[in-house]
């Protein structure tokens, strides 16, 4: 019917009445309507709705009624372009099938999704659309009924093709500069192709989408007229500078680049659009062709997309070197051979070209990688890293080459260059790509030769020929090992392990895998490392086959103990990312120690974090480590009777054994024992870690790892381990109470029958004043005079007054609230009023160190503040001190008080945890050898210090108590026997 007839039948239209009443009664209300797509124009134009759900977008583009939708757009532009901004465009809604069923998951989907992301208005992605879920959604669906997993490939494609567009929505959301165009082929206007431009600030984009299954070639035609003005031609809208011969364009989503001739662009350009092709072009850069290289690229590639045309442009300068480099790799070069020298001179000469010589090393390397590995782009920072690696990469020994290639094979971005992949538990690399790497090294060496003085050319030529021989030898090695990564690395690694393993008793001993995040002497932040560096030896001496595994941190690689590469490695894939773990080994104190070397996660300045806090990906790091350990044991065929875990960093292993590995026969008889060194560190992370680590959903329950809306890896270990131990009997009791339980007291009480306390031992081969290599003078309980000489040495070293009879009070501790250091701050002034000297050695967060930084230098001759960790200095301070303060709020075990007693230092401790089990107060027991106070009270601490100073004044009695303390037996033998008893109970 006509509009007049409609108005006669419906004089007061319902929606009109609704809109008018809302405007009168509730002004400024935002109205959003969901309408049948045939009436959307009516709602927007007649009723002035602010937002309208645009069903036409979904329906017409799904059915490829592209001409109809282009006509809709033209009508809106003719009426009022601003209306486009009111549309909410979508590809699915609760009344329709999910987007993946309507549009599929291929090119058609991403073509329409590109239109969705780049049209003015508001793009709306349906529930599960990006993840590729098939289940319908809507108000009637309270929870998902289908157990669907996200399509990782589809997610990745969204990340690559759509997310970059959504991050630039400001370029597309407005309609003021939006311009629609026809696309014209030899057959006329192509209604299946959408072409439009838009801009924001100084950036312009040009969108081309072919929503059809056919290839279409053509050019951009007329601009569609607007409501109040003529259409703007594409050259004017996009700001093409047609005075240059070529225009370079970059795809906003993919970063791919293409050329257009300016003469062609003046006529609308030349565009070849494959089926469902979608391009969002920006960065229209005019190119001046000074030497004809842009013309050459146009002749080669035309308007086809390239990864980086700028690098293609520079690579033309290096093309003469390709043939020469290949020739050099195919001959047997000799310094005296004319052909060899000529080819080397020829290769180096390519890089002496002034156009090449003007480029820096990193840029040249970028060009070389682009040419030799065209399918594997590297980021700029990765090129910089590669430049650092290549400088001297293969000059010198096999060990030098091993270090270079090990790094190369371990890092994901370099592995991609060589086509590395795992198959049947073996890490393989690609022959042709490895040959390309050798060519890259050769070319880069030519760059370095050009930097040498001209009179060194003969030497440079000799070095080049030597390098070629080494590269050829490397290729022969690669062929002999069948292009197996780990076999090649083992062939190059010259490290040999000289120390012998303490033999195990195969009949009576158990196979025990120690898993920890640190161990002395390799990596240490606290007492955990001392335990893992000492207890395994004591257990080996009892006949058990103990092997230890920790992460391969940077500090491990830089340590004094050499690590040998083993011919196995593993790969753990999490969220589509493969993490390679290279296996290395050494023998320390008769115990095999294994290291899982994954630089991406463990090659960092510190172990757990910096002064600014923990590394944010610690959950990923140690979650990966847990899986890697379980895979490592299988690779080595080390079937453990017991996996002995330490703290939260290893806490995921028992949970994995009860879930993902529950059906694996290899671990059928394996038991787990968790040792809690400090309950205060619980491995708390967001629930997202479940997805990151691809853990079974059941582990997210309160009966497993979930703890008040977060995940606790320590809780999981407590729940799933067969036996739990702590590092002292008193601490074992304390953590089952609210004060020391850190919220886990109830859980620990429920595991009470499986909970034990075993005091740590002290490695008296490291901590022994009779043999300590760090001391200026060694001493013993029978020869205490030299302790005074050690005291004088440290007083000089730390610029304290050299006074023989002035007591030194020491603190060797992590600066942490747990350690009660704030108690010391509260009595700082009255303490220094005593006739004492004070030494502090320790570090912590910036907040914890602030007070001590202020004290540095304020009390010359009396106070030495050392805000660092220094192993050697700690030994010397123990030897020099008279009293050691350990005012901990809680202390699971503590080694410092045991070390102090061994070195003739009397400890002042609070009555808690292992301090209670190892220190006896001199005033409470005639067998005492320390000073104990009960409460975290600064003046109780000061009173105990005063008791120590009073005893110090009675020199004869002081020496008696000191000798009593030095006679204590803190060896690991007793502790190891208690652990042995538990192992045997578990594995009966």
């Amino acid at each position: 019917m006509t509009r007049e007839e409609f108005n006669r039948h419906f004089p007061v239209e319902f929606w009109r009445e609704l809109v008018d009443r809302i405007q009168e009664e509730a002004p400024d209300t935002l109205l959003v309507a969901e309408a049948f797509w045939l009436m959307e124009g009516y709602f927007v134009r007649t009723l002035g709705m602010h937002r309208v759900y645009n069903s036409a977008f979904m329906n017409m583009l799904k059915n490829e009624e592209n001409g109809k939708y282009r006509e809709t757009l033209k009508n809106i532009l003719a009426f009022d372009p601003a209306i486009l901004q009111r549309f909410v465009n979508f590809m699915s809604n609760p009344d329709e099938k999910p987007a993946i069923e309507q549009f599929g998951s291929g090119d058609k989907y991403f073509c329409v999704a590109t239109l969705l992301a780049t049209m003015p208005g508001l793009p709306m992605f349906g529930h599960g659309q990006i993840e590729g879920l098939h289940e319908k959604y809507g108000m009637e669906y309270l929870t998902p009924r289908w157990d669907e997993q996200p399509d990782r490939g589809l997610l990745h494609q969204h990340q690559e093709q759509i997310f970059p567009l959504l991050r630039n929505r400001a370029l597309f959301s407005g309609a003021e500069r939006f311009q629609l165009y026809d696309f014209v082929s030899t057959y006329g206007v192509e209604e299946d192709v959408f072409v439009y431009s838009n801009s924001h600030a100084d950036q312009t984009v040009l969108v081309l989408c072919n929503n059809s299954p056919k290839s279409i070639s053509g050019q951009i035609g007329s601009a569609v007229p607007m409501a109040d003005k003529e259409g703007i031609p594409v050259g004017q809208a996009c700001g093409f500078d047609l005075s240059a011969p070529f225009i370079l364009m970059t795809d906003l989503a993919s970063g791919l680049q293409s050329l257009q001739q300016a003469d062609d662009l003046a006529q609308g350009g030349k565009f070849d659009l494959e089926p469902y092709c979608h391009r969002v072009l920006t960065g229209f850069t005019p190119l001046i062709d000074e030497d004809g290289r842009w013309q050459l690229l146009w002749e080669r590639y035309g308007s086809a997309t390239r990864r980086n045309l700028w690098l293609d442009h520079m690579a033309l300068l290096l093309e003469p070197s390709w043939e020469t480099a290949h020739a050099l790799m195919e001959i047997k070069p000799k310094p005296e051979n004319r052909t060899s020298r000529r080819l080397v001179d020829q290769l180096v000469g390519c890089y002496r070209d002034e156009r090449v010589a003007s480029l820096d090393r990193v840029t040249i390397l970028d060009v070389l990688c682009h040419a030799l590995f065209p399918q594997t782009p590297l980021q700029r920072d990765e090129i910089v890293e590669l430049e650092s690696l290549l400088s001297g990469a293969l000059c010198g020994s096999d060990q030098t080459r091993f270090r270079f290639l090990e790094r190369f094979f371990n890092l994901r971005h370099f592995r991609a260059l060589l086509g590395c992949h795992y198959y049947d538990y073996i890490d393989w690399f690609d022959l042709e790509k490895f040959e390309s790497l050798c060519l890259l090294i050769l070319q880069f060496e030519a760059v370095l030769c050009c930097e040498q003085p001209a009179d060194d050319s003969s030497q440079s030529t000799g070095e080049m020929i030597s390098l070629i021989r080494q590269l050829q030898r490397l290729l022969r090695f690669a062929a002999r090992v069948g292009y197996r990564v780990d076999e090649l690395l083992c062939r190059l690694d010259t490290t040999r392990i000289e120390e012998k393993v303490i033999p195990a008793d195969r009949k009576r001993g158990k196979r025990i895998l120690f898993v920890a995040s640190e161990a002395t002497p390799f990596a240490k932040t606290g007492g955990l490392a001392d335990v893992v560096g000492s207890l395994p030896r004591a257990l080996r001496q009892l006949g058990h086959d103990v092997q230890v595994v920790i992460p391969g941190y940077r500090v491990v690689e830089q340590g004094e103990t050499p690590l040998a590469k083993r011919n196995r490695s593993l790969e753990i894939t999490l969220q589509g990312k493969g993490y390679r773990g290279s296996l290395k080994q050494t023998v320390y104190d008769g115990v095999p120690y294994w290291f899982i070397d994954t630089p991406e996660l463990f090659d960092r300045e510190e172990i757990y974090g910096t002064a600014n806090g923990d590394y944010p990906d610690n959950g990923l790091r140690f979650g990966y480590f847990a899986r890697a350990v379980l895979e490592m044991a299988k690779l080595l065929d080390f079937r453990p009777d017991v996996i002995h875990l330490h703290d939260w960093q290893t806490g995921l292993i028992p949970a994995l054994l009860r879930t993902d590995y529950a059906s694996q026969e290899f671990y059928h008889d394996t038991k787990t024992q968790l040792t809690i060194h400090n309950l205060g560190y619980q491995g708390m992370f967001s629930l997202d870690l479940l997805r990151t680590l691809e853990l079974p959903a059941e582990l997210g329950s309160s009966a497993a790892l979930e703890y008040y809306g977060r995940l606790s890896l320590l809780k999981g270990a407590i729940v799933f381990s067969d036996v739990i131990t702590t590092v002292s009997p008193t601490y074992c009791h304390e953590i089952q109470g609210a004060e020391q339980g850190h919220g886990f007291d109830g859980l620990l009480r429920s595991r009470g029958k499986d909970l034990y306390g075993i005091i740590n031992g002290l490695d008296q081969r490291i901590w022994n004043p009779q043999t300590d290599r760090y001391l200026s003078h060694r001493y013993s309980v029978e020869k205490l005079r030299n302790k005074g000489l050690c005291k004088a040495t440290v007083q000089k070293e730390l610029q304290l007054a050299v006074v023989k009879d002035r007591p030194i009070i020491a603190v060797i501790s992590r600066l942490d609230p747990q350690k009660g250091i704030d108690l010391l701050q509260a009595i700082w002034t009255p303490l220094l009023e005593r006739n004492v000297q004070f030494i502090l050695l320790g570090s912590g967060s910036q907040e914890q160190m602030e007070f001590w930084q202020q004290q540095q230098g304020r009390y010359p001759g009396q106070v030495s503040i050392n805000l660092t960790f220094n192993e050697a200095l700690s030994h010397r301070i123990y030897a020099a001190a008279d009293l050691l303060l350990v005012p901990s709020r809680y202390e699971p075990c503590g080694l410092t008080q045991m070390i102090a007693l061994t070195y003739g230092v009397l400890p002042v401790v609070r009555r808690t945890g292992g301090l209670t089990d190892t220190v006896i107060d001199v005033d409470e027991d005639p067998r005492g050898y320390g000073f104990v106070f009960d409460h975290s009270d600064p003046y109780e601490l000061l009173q105990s210090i005063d008791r120590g100073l009073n005893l110090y004044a009675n020199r004869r009695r002081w020496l008696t108590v000191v000798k009593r303390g030095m006679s204590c037996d803190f060896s690991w033998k007793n502790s190891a026997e208690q652990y042995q008893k538990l192992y045997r109970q578990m594995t009966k």
Side-chain angles (χ1 to χ4, degrees):
M1 64 181 69
T2 65
R3 182 178 297 274
E4 290 75 16
E5 290 176 308
F6 181 86
N7 290 333
R8 187 170 66 253
H9 289 292
F10 296 95
V12 181
E13 201 272 329
F14 167 73
W15 288 107
R16 177 78 271 165
E17 181 181 15
L18 175 66
V19 171
D20 291 343
R21 281 190 60 189
I22 289 177
Q23 179 62 29
E24 181 180 344
E25 299 171 19
D28 300 324
T29 299
L30 177 64
L31 295 180
V32 180
E34 182 166 6
F36 293 109
W37 61 274
L38 287 174
M39 297 186 68
E40 281 158 357
Y42 171 77
F43 273 80
V44 174
R45 289 180 289 186
T46 306
L47 302 179
M49 303 296 285
H50 290 80
R51 289 289 185 199
V52 170
Y53 289 97
N54 183 15
S55 300
F57 182 93
M58 174 181 68
N59 289 303
M60 291 183 177
L61 297 181
K62 173 185 66 178
N63 298 325
E64 297 182 10
E65 295 174 330
N66 300 310
K68 287 186 179 179
Y69 195 68
R70 289 189 72 245
E71 188 63 30
T72 299
L73 292 176
K74 289 181 179 181
N75 291 337
I76 292 171
L77 292 173
F79 183 81
D80 182 0
I83 289 174
L84 285 179
Q85 295 178 213
R86 301 181 187 176
F87 282 136
V88 178
N89 299 320
F90 54 89
M91 297 170 68
S92 70
N93 64 34
D95 299 319
E96 303 286 348
K97 292 180 179 180
I100 193 165
E101 293 195 19
Q102 298 196 73
F103 295 89
S105 59
D107 291 340
K108 177 182 175 69
Y109 172 89
F110 284 99
C111 177
V112 178
T114 298
L115 290 168
L116 178 67
T118 59
M119 280 281 186
L122 188 67
M124 182 177 72
F125 287 81
H127 170 76
Q129 177 176 335
I130 291 172
E131 296 87 347
L133 303 186
H134 289 259
E135 185 177 9
K136 287 191 69 173
Y137 67 97
M139 294 178 64
E140 68 271 32
Y141 300 98
L142 298 179
T143 58
R145 296 183 177 89
W146 297 357
D147 184 17
E148 294 187 89
Q149 296 300 315
D151 182 332
R152 287 184 189 152
L154 192 67
L155 273 170
H156 179 71
Q157 282 184 280
H158 277 91
Q159 291 167 352
E160 295 289 315
Q161 300 183 40
I162 303 302
F163 289 3
L165 305 178
L166 296 177
R167 284 192 286 268
N168 286 278
R169 272 296 297 169
L171 280 168
F172 310 111
S173 58
E176 183 179 346
R177 300 183 183 179
F178 178 84
Q179 178 62 62
L180 182 69
Y181 305 96
D182 289 333
F183 189 79
V184 182
S185 71
T186 54
Y187 304 104
V189 175
E190 295 286 350
E191 296 290 356
D192 290 319
V193 178
F194 293 84
V195 183
Y196 48 90
S197 64
N198 212 333
S199 62
H200 175 72
D202 296 328
Q203 187 174 2
T204 302
V205 284
L206 177 64
V207 180
L208 298 96
C209 291
N210 172 17
N211 187 35
S212 77
K214 59 187 179 183
S215 297
I216 301 176
S217 297
Q219 60 191 36
I220 300 172
S222 302
V224 172
M226 304 294 188
D228 55 353
K229 59 184 177 182
E230 293 297 316
I232 302 173
V234 65
Q236 181 181 342
C238 295
F240 297 150
D241 181 354
L242 300 180
S243 63
F246 297 99
I247 302 292
L248 186 148
M249 305 176 178
T250 303
D251 191 283
L252 188 62
S254 66
L256 296 176
Q257 297 176 336
S258 59
L259 288 177
Q260 286 283 333
Q261 284 187 310
D263 291 345
D264 291 335
L265 276 177
Q267 306 300 319
K270 291 181 178 179
F271 297 93
D272 299 315
L273 305 178
E274 296 300 315
Y276 303 110
C277 171
H278 45 97
R279 300 173 68 182
V280 183
L281 303 175
T282 190
F284 307 107
T285 306
L287 302 172
I288 305 301
D289 196 14
E290 295 179 345
D291 56 7
R293 280 184 286 151
W294 289 116
Q295 179 63 37
L296 182 57
L297 289 178
W298 173 255
E299 292 170 2
R300 284 188 184 179
Y301 307 121
S303 62
T305 56
R306 298 285 297 169
R307 180 161 61 82
N308 191 319
L309 280 163
W310 295 106
L311 293 179
D312 285 333
H313 189 251
M314 287 185 276
L316 291 175
L317 298 174
L318 303 183
E319 278 194 353
S321 71
W322 305 140
E323 186 177 340
T324 305
H326 278 93
L328 279 168
M329 290 298 295
E330 290 171 3
I331 65 172
K332 292 183 178 180
K334 297 180 181 179
E336 64 277 7
N337 183 281
R338 285 187 180 181
T339 301
S340 301
R341 300 182 71 85
R342 177 179 57 79
L343 287 173
V344 168
D345 290 343
Q346 206 170 302
L347 179 63
V348 174
C350 294
Y351 291 92
R352 295 195 188 280
D353 182 302
E354 62 179 24
R355 294 173 298 178
V356 179
S358 65
L359 304 175
D360 60 78
R361 281 190 197 176
V362 174
T363 300
I364 292 176
L365 193 54
D366 200 358
V367 175
L368 289 170
C369 288
H370 176 75
L372 291 167
F373 305 99
Q375 304 304 317
T376 315
L378 293 178
Q379 301 300 314
R380 183 71 175 182
D381 59 329
E382 294 165 352
I383 295 290
V384 171
E385 183 181 12
L386 179 58
E387 188 270 335
S388 176
L389 281 174
L390 282 172
S391 298
L394 294 184
C395 297
S397 65
D398 278 348
Q399 197 64 20
T400 304
R401 289 184 280 279
F402 163 71
R403 294 293 180 200
F404 164 71
L405 285 174
E406 179 193 41
R407 183 78 178 178
F408 213 88
F409 282 124
N410 272 356
L411 294 174
R412 183 185 297 111
H413 44 277
F414 294 148
R415 287 174 58 78
L417 292 182
L418 299 183
C420 295
H421 62 283
Y422 278 84
Y423 178 74
D424 197 21
Y425 299 100
I426 295 174
D427 192 9
W428 306 85
F429 62 93
D430 183 271
L431 164 62
E432 292 183 0
K433 293 181 178 180
F434 193 70
E435 290 174 343
S436 293
L437 174 63
C438 291
L439 288 170
L440 175 70
I441 294 168
L442 177 60
Q443 298 268 24
F444 189 71
E445 186 66 22
V447 176
L448 299 182
C449 283
C450 291
E451 298 175 0
Q452 302 299 319
D455 53 4
D456 289 347
S457 60
S458 179
Q459 179 181 344
S460 297
T461 300
E463 290 174 354
M464 283 282 288
I465 290 173
S466 174
L467 174 63
I468 294 165
R469 287 175 172 174
Q470 292 170 28
L471 292 172
Q472 290 172 340
R473 179 168 174 259
L474 190 60
L475 286 168
R476 289 194 296 272
F477 277 2
R480 286 172 193 163
V481 301
Y483 307 103
R484 293 173 170 89
V485 171
D486 296 292
E487 293 283 355
L488 177 61
L489 292 177
C490 281
R491 178 71 69 98
L492 295 172
D493 185 14
T494 58
T495 304
R496 297 293 177 264
I497 299 175
E498 303 295 339
E499 187 171 346
K500 301 301 181 184
V501 174
I502 298 172
D505 184 338
R506 294 190 176 183
K507 291 183 178 179
R508 301 183 68 249
K510 301 294 182 184
R511 291 184 301 277
I512 303 164
L513 182 61
F514 258 60
V515 187
S517 58
E518 53 184 271
T520 54
F522 310 105
K524 176 179 176 178
T525 65
L528 165 62
D530 294 315
V531 174
V532 182
S534 304
L535 176 57
R537 174 184 172 83
L539 290 167
R540 272 257 170 198
Q541 290 173 328
L542 293 176
H544 301 290
D545 185 2
V546 182
Q547 307 212 20
V548 184
V549 56
I550 70 169
Y553 303 110
R554 180 185 299 176
V555 67
V556 172
E557 295 286 345
Q558 295 173 344
E560 296 179 2
T561 307
L563 311 181
K565 175 75 181 80
R566 294 309 184 210
N567 67 345
R568 302 306 294 268
S569 65
L570 52 89
E571 183 182 49
I572 305 295
T573 301
L574 298 170
Q575 297 298 308
K577 276 188 176 182
Y579 296 90
R580 169 183 157 87
S582 179
L583 300 185
K584 298 181 179 179
Q585 188 192 29
T586 193
V587 176
Y588 172 70
D589 270 356
V591 179
Y593 280 79
W594 291 90
F595 306 89
I596 297 176
D597 182 18
T598 306
E600 187 172 350
L601 298 176
F602 299 120
D603 180 22
R604 301 187 184 181
E605 187 176 341
E606 303 293 342
I607 295 177
Y608 306 121
T610 66
N612 296 322
D614 290 345
Y615 292 124
D617 63 345
N618 273 348
L620 168 63
R621 297 172 76 218
F622 293 104
Y624 156 82
F625 179 60
R627 285 194 184 272
V629 166
L630 294 175
E631 292 300 316
M632 183 198 83
K634 293 194 297 181
L635 278 175
L636 301 178
D637 197 27
F638 183 76
R639 194 180 302 247
D641 297 306
V642 177
I643 300 180
H644 192 155
L645 314 158
H646 297 267
D647 279 350
W648 72 260
Q649 292 89 346
T650 63
L652 199 57
I653 289 176
L656 289 171
L657 287 173
R658 297 288 185 90
T659 52
D660 287 358
Y661 289 78
S663 61
Q664 294 194 12
E665 190 275 334
F666 187 88
Y667 288 110
H668 183 266
D669 297 320
T670 299
K671 303 297 182 182
T672 53
Q673 177 174 319
L674 166 70
T675 294
I676 301 173
H677 295 260
N678 190 330
L679 189 63
Y681 297 94
Q682 299 178 339
M684 291 286 191
F685 301 96
S686 77
L687 290 172
D688 290 341
L689 189 64
L690 272 178
R691 180 176 54 82
T692 300
L693 298 179
E694 298 185 7
L695 297 174
E698 64 202 79
L699 292 181
S701 73
S702 59
L705 277 66
E706 190 273 337
Y707 184 73
Y708 289 97
R710 305 191 76 198
L711 288 185
S712 168
L713 299 191
L714 182 63
K715 180 190 173 187
I718 294 171
V719 169
F720 292 109
S721 292
D722 295 295
V723 167
I724 304 161
T725 59
T726 66
V727 288
S728 69
T730 298
Y731 189 60
C732 179
H733 172 74
E734 288 174 340
I735 62 175
Q736 296 180 67
E739 183 179 351
Q740 300 279 6
H742 293 277
F744 286 177
D745 49 296
L747 176 61
L748 289 164
R749 286 194 299 272
S750 73
R751 296 296 314 271
K753 65 182 179 62
D754 303 313
L755 184 59
Y756 303 86
I758 301 175
I759 196 74
N760 283 339
L762 186 65
D763 191 336
Q764 294 178 320
R765 293 165 310 124
I766 297 174
W767 297 106
N768 186 342
Q770 298 183 65
T771 58
D772 195 327
R773 64 191 177 101
Y774 294 119
L775 304 189
S776 60
H777 300 81
R778 296 177 180 86
Y779 60 94
S780 66
V781 68
E782 294 84 14
K783 191 178 179 181
L784 264 177
R785 179 179 175 276
N786 280 358
K787 180 171 172 59
L789 299 176
C790 289
K791 182 175 185 175
T793 300
V794 169
Q795 285 173 325
K796 290 178 184 177
E797 179 183 357
L798 300 181
Q799 299 179 349
L800 299 175
V802 182
V803 182
K804 178 181 179 181
D805 58 356
R806 183 174 296 175
I808 291 179
I809 298 174
V811 172
I812 301 175
S813 171
R814 188 173 70 253
L815 302 183
D816 186 280
Q818 173 216 332
K819 298 296 184 180
I821 303 299
D822 57 310
L823 302 183
L824 185 56
Q825 296 176 19
I827 61 168
W828 182 242
T829 299
L831 175 63
L832 295 187
E833 291 173 355
R834 276 105 172 123
N835 184 30
V836 299
Q837 292 179 333
F838 179 85
I839 301 174
L840 180 140
L841 175 65
S843 62
S845 68
Q846 187 59 43
E847 180 183 359
Q848 298 298 324
M849 292 196 295
E850 185 176 352
F851 172 84
W852 300 106
Q853 288 170 336
Q854 294 170 0
Q855 309 312 310
Q856 286 178 317
R858 289 183 64 180
Y859 304 93
Q862 184 183 13
V863 174
S864 174
I865 305 295
N866 306 277
L867 298 177
T868 183
F869 177 77
N870 184 314
E871 181 77 15
L873 181 57
S874 70
H875 284 245
R876 294 195 291 275
I877 293 172
Y878 280 120
D882 299 294
L883 292 172
L884 181 84
L885 306 186
V886 192
S888 303
R889 283 184 164 75
Y890 67 94
E891 191 63 65
C893 176
L895 292 178
T896 55
Q897 79 279 10
M898 293 189 249
I899 298 170
L901 289 165
T902 303
Y903 279 67
V905 186
L906 299 188
V908 179
V909 306
R910 191 174 96 74
R911 199 184 309 276
T912 183
L915 302 177
T916 302
D917 296 321
T918 54
V919 179
I920 301 173
D921 193 288
V922 296
D923 295 328
E924 295 177 1
D925 191 312
R927 299 168 300 164
Y929 39 77
F931 308 91
V932 183
F933 61 100
D934 292 315
H935 304 102
S936 291
D937 181 285
Y939 292 97
E940 281 195 31
L941 169 60
L942 188 58
Q943 287 169 5
S944 296
I945 293 172
D946 285 339
R947 287 195 292 134
L949 295 176
N950 290 336
L951 181 62
Y952 184 83
N954 185 339
R955 193 65 183 166
R956 188 169 183 176
R957 186 172 174 232
W958 172 268
L959 290 175
T960 299
V961 175
V962 165
K963 290 179 179 180
R964 190 183 302 145
M966 292 181 73
S967 301
C968 293
D969 180 12
F970 295 119
S971 69
W972 271 107
K973 185 174 183 296
N974 291 333
S975 303
E977 288 174 347
Q978 293 180 63
Y979 280 114
Q980 174 181 250
K981 183 179 179 181
L982 289 179
Y983 297 152
R984 286 177 172 165
Q985 285 178 5
M986 273 190 289
T987 56
K988 282 182 181 178

